[in-house]
Amino acid sequence: MKAGKLILIIVLSLALAGGGFVAYTKLISPKTAAETPQGQVVDVKRGSLQMKVTSSGNLASPEKANLTFVSSGTIKERLVEMGTTVKKGQVLARLDTLDLERAMRDAETGVKSAEKAMKDTQDLYDIGAVAQAEAGLASAQAQLKGAEKAYQDVQTPYNLSPYTPSDIASAEAAVASAQSQLKGAEKALQDVQVPYNLSPYTPSDIASAEAAVAAAQAQMRDVTNALSKAQTTKTDEDVAHFQSAVDSAQKNLSVARQDFETVKFSRDRSVSDTQELLRQEQEKYKLIIKINLTGDSIYMDPRILFNTETISNSMETAYQSLLRVRDNSRIAQETGDKNVANAEVAVSKAQDVVKKAQEDLDRKLGDVPVDVAIRQYNLETAKANLIKAQEDLKKRKAGPEPLEVANRQFALENAKANLAKAQEDLKKRKAGPEPLDIANRQAGLENAKANLIKAQEDLKKKKAGPDPLELALRKSQIVSAQATLDKAKDNLAKATIVAPFDGMVASVVGEVGDSVGGSAVHIVMVNPNKLRMEAILDETSVIQVKVGQDVQISMDALPNTSINGKVTSISPVSTVQSGVVNYQLFITLDSQVAAGPRTTPGGNRTGGNPPGASTQRPGGAATQGRTAGPTNGGATSPITPGSSQSTPPSQLRSGMTAVAEIVTTSYDDVILIPRQAVSGSGQNRTVKVITNGQVEDRPVQLGVSDEQFIQVTQGLTEGEKVLITTAAPRSINPVARPGGGIGGGPGIPGIR
């Protein structure tokens, strides 16, 4: 019966019941029987009436564990058997853990390695690493300067190619000078040795030396006379000569200075123009490579910069143009500097000439004429020559000095070395630089540049700090290694099965020495002291049941036992079996048990399926039930909820079938009579009331009922007596609505 149709029927029934009762009381007067019919007299009393939903199911243990070994292995210990009572935390079985322990040690090593890798990565960027990188950069810069100088040194003598005749002539002149120096050293050595080769000396040798002394003395006299003459002679012609020399030197100095300014201006302009052109080429090159390089790094080969073997034609053209302009700028700078330096030397020489000419003029005009100074100088020279001649004579007479011979021998060897060096230099100038030497120094220069770039990148990287991606990788490695370690620890821990709660071993699979898989159940545990009932309700009954409602449970295995409980949960999701919609229901058992059979007025036992209750419908049907009713003389008193023993029965087992009576509604302190006492149908319901020994049919208004008792809302009072005759109807269908009247039609869900 659908809910909407049911409510409509109930409302109509109530309306008919109310109208029927009024009509009955007005039109029909109570009828008094002439004699008391045979039957059972029952007192009208107050009591409680409960509406129940009945469902069947099974007892089950909510605490059940299927215990497994996580890892595969060999059973080393099995410490329990089926039926063994165990405590929480008690060891039940163990695997051989040798491989698991090895795996855990390997995992610990992996975690340490990952953590060390993280620390090493972070240490690469600390203050010490940055300082070390800065020192490395300074070293690379110094190395580059050294390589550039070495490369320049091997090229500088040959920068002008082919060599000009003057370059070759200069080298040849150096060789000739060295040869002349060698000849002079040879002659000097011979001079100190030859006079003494014949010993003792001949008179002619002595005479020759004496003649040299005489010649020196004569020169001394001539110089003395010339000095005397110069000191007394001073003419205007001599003064004019020296003045002319001063004027000419000053004119040459002015020309040299003008040349210097011209060369310097030309140098500065050429350098400025080439620098501007170089700047423009740099900007063009930056636009092409799209990297803002500064300093010498802009001249880095783009193949090295981008770590590639090939580059585009436009990039290659721009790069070569940049290098060409750079070289031209450098040549312009060097050439200009050289020309300016030559001009400065010319100015300096002209200044020296002016100075000397002015000094000559000053001497001529002063107290000491210039000739006097010259003559004085000649006199000193003559004196020195005389002394030298006298010493030579003395030496010829005495023989050669060993020290002088050694000195001249050393001078000779030095002259030979200078000649060899000059000849080698001349040979190099004629042959040009050695290709192998140039290649080696070029390679050293390129290597120094690469080292500088590497040092710059290293310093930049260390100042920027570690790469976030690298740190993230290191962290992920640590997390992964830690997860592996945790897994290894977990596997090792789960190689030992322990009891998760106090309970009993329900089953054991496998013996010591057997191999087991990680997913196979080895031990099943249950807690027999914690049981609940699992039942199902159909869709018409589940709407009447709520969590927290009281439940009485009876079992076929324990016919004299009734167990109290409460509804703890109702599944919100249905299951459909054979077209019937059902819902799962869980009932928690109280720790106390109602003892003995439950009886109702009239001696009917309510344990199990109560009298009048409907049989179970597919999926668990709901029926009407009663917990307590009015007492009756001679009938067994009903058992009220809560009268129980304190110890649960030890016979309870998981899986036992059970029937649950769920109290959905309770009506307390209402007038109740047996259903058999009511006669009539529709709105004409009457009961036989015994008053003063006489029986009268009295109209009544009925309320809710269960299988045995029915509520009387109007027409009877507590303490009156009603008669149940053998002819009274055995089935009444009242409207089960508190405070409502009687009427036809079906009752509310749970009542029939």
Side-chain angles (χ1 to χ4, degrees):
M1 180 65 67
K2 298 298 181 179
K5 185 176 180 181
L6 175 60
I7 293 172
L8 179 59
I9 291 173
I10 292 173
V11 172
L12 292 175
S13 298
L14 288 173
L16 293 174
F21 177 77
V22 174
Y24 183 84
T25 54
K26 289 183 177 180
L27 299 177
I28 301 177
S29 60
K31 179 181 179 182
T32 302
E35 57 181 20
T36 302
Q38 296 296 319
Q40 181 181 4
V41 178
V42 179
D43 292 335
V44 177
K45 291 191 176 183
R46 290 187 176 274
S48 296
L49 195 64
Q50 294 178 334
M51 312 312 296
K52 299 180 181 179
V53 172
T54 303
S55 180
S56 63
N58 300 90
L59 297 185
S61 174
E63 279 192 311
K64 179 181 179 181
N66 296 325
L67 306 179
T68 65
F69 293 112
V70 174
S71 302
S72 300
T74 302
I75 299 176
K76 184 178 181 180
E77 290 182 287
R78 196 190 77 182
L79 306 175
V80 294
E81 301 291 342
M82 182 175 66
T84 302
T85 301
V86 297
K87 293 290 185 181
K88 181 178 179 180
Q90 181 177 336
V91 176
L92 308 181
R94 289 190 180 93
L95 287 179
D96 188 344
T97 59
L98 182 62
D99 292 339
L100 296 175
E101 291 173 353
R102 185 183 299 111
M104 188 178 72
R105 289 194 297 271
D106 293 343
E108 289 174 342
T109 302
V111 170
K112 291 180 180 178
S113 298
E115 290 174 344
K116 183 178 183 300
M118 170 63 85
K119 185 177 184 300
D120 292 343
T121 299
Q122 293 172 334
D123 289 346
L124 289 175
Y125 306 95
D126 60 10
I127 297 177
V130 172
Q132 185 177 2
E134 290 174 342
L137 177 60
S139 175
Q141 290 171 336
Q143 180 186 6
L144 178 60
K145 289 182 180 179
E148 288 175 340
K149 184 177 184 303
Y151 184 64
Q152 186 177 9
D153 289 345
V154 76
Q155 286 184 323
T156 297
Y158 316 102
N159 280 339
L160 300 177
S161 181
Y163 299 107
T164 63
S166 61
D167 296 328
I168 304 299
S170 176
E172 290 174 342
V175 171
S177 176
Q179 290 173 339
S180 177
Q181 181 184 6
L182 177 61
K183 289 180 180 179
E186 289 175 342
K187 184 177 183 306
L189 179 61
Q190 186 178 13
D191 289 345
V192 77
Q193 290 176 332
V194 169
Y196 310 105
N197 284 338
L198 300 176
S199 182
Y201 298 104
T202 62
S204 60
D205 296 327
I206 303 299
S208 176
E210 290 174 344
V213 171
Q217 290 172 341
Q219 182 184 13
M220 180 74 174
R221 286 193 297 273
D222 292 340
V223 171
T224 302
N225 292 332
L227 175 62
S228 176
K229 183 179 179 180
Q231 289 175 340
T232 58
T233 303
K234 179 179 178 181
T235 63
D236 294 336
E237 182 180 355
D238 294 333
V239 173
H241 171 72
F242 285 106
Q243 182 63 52
S244 176
V246 171
D247 294 340
S248 176
Q250 289 178 339
K251 181 178 180 181
N252 292 336
L253 175 60
S254 177
V255 172
R257 285 174 174 171
Q258 290 178 356
D259 292 343
F260 171 76
E261 292 298 331
T262 301
V263 170
K264 184 173 181 297
F265 175 78
S266 177
R267 189 273 314 269
D268 293 343
R269 181 173 181 179
S270 176
V271 170
S272 176
D273 292 344
T274 56
Q275 286 292 332
E276 176 60 22
L277 182 59
L278 178 60
R279 185 190 66 78
Q280 294 175 0
E281 289 297 324
Q282 288 177 343
E283 293 301 323
K284 292 179 182 178
Y285 183 58
K286 289 178 182 179
L287 290 176
I288 292 177
I289 64 174
K290 298 180 179 180
I291 297 179
N292 187 23
L293 299 176
T294 58
D296 293 339
S297 61
I298 196 172
Y299 304 113
M300 186 189 305
D301 193 321
R303 298 171 185 82
I304 298 176
L305 180 63
F306 296 107
N307 192 22
T308 180
E309 295 182 358
T310 60
I311 58 177
S312 64
N313 292 335
S314 60
M315 187 178 295
E316 177 68 27
T317 301
Y319 179 63
Q320 295 299 330
S321 176
L322 176 64
L323 295 182
R324 183 170 58 257
V325 173
R326 180 198 64 179
D327 295 340
N328 292 340
S329 175
R330 184 183 299 166
I331 292 172
Q333 181 73 45
E334 293 174 352
T335 303
D337 291 344
K338 185 176 180 180
N339 292 337
V340 170
N342 291 336
E344 287 178 340
V345 171
V347 170
S348 178
K349 288 181 178 180
Q351 288 175 338
D352 292 341
V353 172
V354 170
K355 181 179 179 182
K356 184 176 183 305
Q358 186 67 46
E359 289 175 352
D360 291 342
L361 177 60
D362 291 341
R363 282 195 299 270
K364 192 66 177 178
L365 296 174
D367 295 336
V368 180
V370 66
D371 285 348
V372 173
I374 295 174
R375 300 297 189 273
Q376 184 69 41
Y377 173 77
N378 291 338
L379 177 61
E380 296 300 327
T381 302
K383 287 181 180 180
N385 290 337
L386 176 60
I387 293 171
K388 182 179 179 182
Q390 290 172 342
E391 290 291 330
D392 182 60
L393 176 61
K394 182 179 178 181
K395 287 181 179 179
R396 285 178 179 270
K397 289 181 178 181
E401 287 288 339
L403 180 60
E404 185 177 1
V405 173
N407 289 337
R408 296 194 181 191
Q409 182 67 42
F410 176 76
L412 176 62
E413 296 300 327
N414 188 49
K416 288 180 180 180
N418 291 337
L419 176 60
K421 181 178 179 182
Q423 290 172 337
E424 184 68 22
D425 181 62
L426 176 61
K427 181 180 178 182
K428 286 183 178 180
R429 285 180 178 270
K430 288 182 176 181
E434 288 289 338
L436 180 60
D437 191 15
I438 292 179
N440 290 337
R441 299 197 184 194
Q442 178 69 33
L445 179 59
E446 296 301 327
N447 185 55
K449 289 180 179 179
N451 290 339
L452 177 61
I453 294 172
K454 183 179 179 182
Q456 290 171 337
E457 292 296 326
D458 184 56
L459 177 59
K460 180 180 178 182
K461 182 178 179 181
K462 284 181 169 54
K463 285 185 175 181
D467 186 357
L469 293 179
E470 185 177 8
L471 283 181
L473 174 62
R474 298 301 182 198
K475 290 180 180 178
S476 66
Q477 289 173 344
I478 292 176
V479 172
S480 177
Q482 187 62 49
T484 301
L485 176 58
D486 293 341
K487 180 66 174 176
K489 289 180 177 179
D490 187 59
N491 289 342
L492 181 60
K494 290 184 178 179
T496 300
I497 295 180
V498 297
F501 50 80
D502 294 350
M504 181 180 293
V505 176
S507 65
V508 179
V509 178
E511 301 291 339
V512 174
D514 290 350
S515 296
V516 295
S519 60
V521 176
H522 181 57
I523 296 175
V524 178
M525 258 193 68
V526 296
N527 186 351
N529 297 323
K530 287 188 178 180
L531 295 174
R532 69 180 179 186
M533 180 179 174
E534 298 178 357
I536 55 176
L537 291 172
D538 62 20
E539 58 184 327
T540 61
S541 302
V542 73
I543 60 175
Q544 303 177 54
V545 179
K546 296 180 178 57
V547 173
Q549 289 178 338
D550 293 329
V551 183
Q552 285 187 332
I553 302 171
S554 60
M555 293 169 290
D556 293 339
L558 302 172
N560 295 323
T561 301
S562 178
I563 304 173
N564 295 330
K566 284 187 181 296
V567 177
T568 53
S569 63
I570 305 171
S571 174
V573 181
S574 66
T575 59
V576 180
Q577 297 178 354
S578 302
V580 179
V581 179
N582 297 315
Y583 292 84
Q584 185 80 22
L585 178 71
F586 296 100
I587 300 171
T588 300
L589 308 185
D590 292 347
S591 61
Q592 297 180 346
V593 180
R598 295 188 297 111
T599 59
T600 62
N604 294 313
R605 184 176 63 86
T606 60
N609 290 330
S614 63
T615 58
Q616 189 73 25
R617 292 184 295 189
T623 64
Q624 168 185 322
R626 179 190 60 81
T627 299
T631 59
N632 184 34
T636 305
S637 299
I639 303 298
T640 58
S643 60
S644 61
Q645 295 178 347
S646 60
T647 304
S650 60
Q651 299 94 331
L652 292 181
R653 295 289 186 271
S654 178
M656 285 184 172
T657 59
V659 176
E661 293 182 351
I662 305 168
V663 179
T664 60
T665 308
S666 180
Y667 301 95
D668 299 325
D669 195 28
V670 296
I671 300 296
L672 297 176
I673 61 174
R675 292 179 59 143
Q676 295 90 333
V678 180
S679 302
S681 62
Q683 297 180 2
N684 299 321
R685 302 299 180 96
T686 61
V687 296
K688 294 184 180 298
V689 182
I690 300 175
T691 304
N692 299 322
Q694 299 297 320
V695 178
E696 63 172 324
D697 289 330
R698 182 183 299 177
V700 292
Q701 188 171 350
L702 304 178
V704 296
S705 68
D706 63 9
E707 294 297 327
Q708 297 178 0
F709 294 94
I710 188 168
Q711 177 189 8
V712 179
T713 60
Q714 290 184 15
L716 291 177
T717 58
E718 184 180 5
E720 291 185 301
K721 298 182 183 296
V722 297
L723 177 65
I724 301 175
T725 63
T726 55
R730 300 291 295 175
S731 178
I732 302 175
N733 292 314
V735 176
R737 187 176 185 87
I742 60 174
I748 63 173
I751 301 177
R752 65 191 187 115

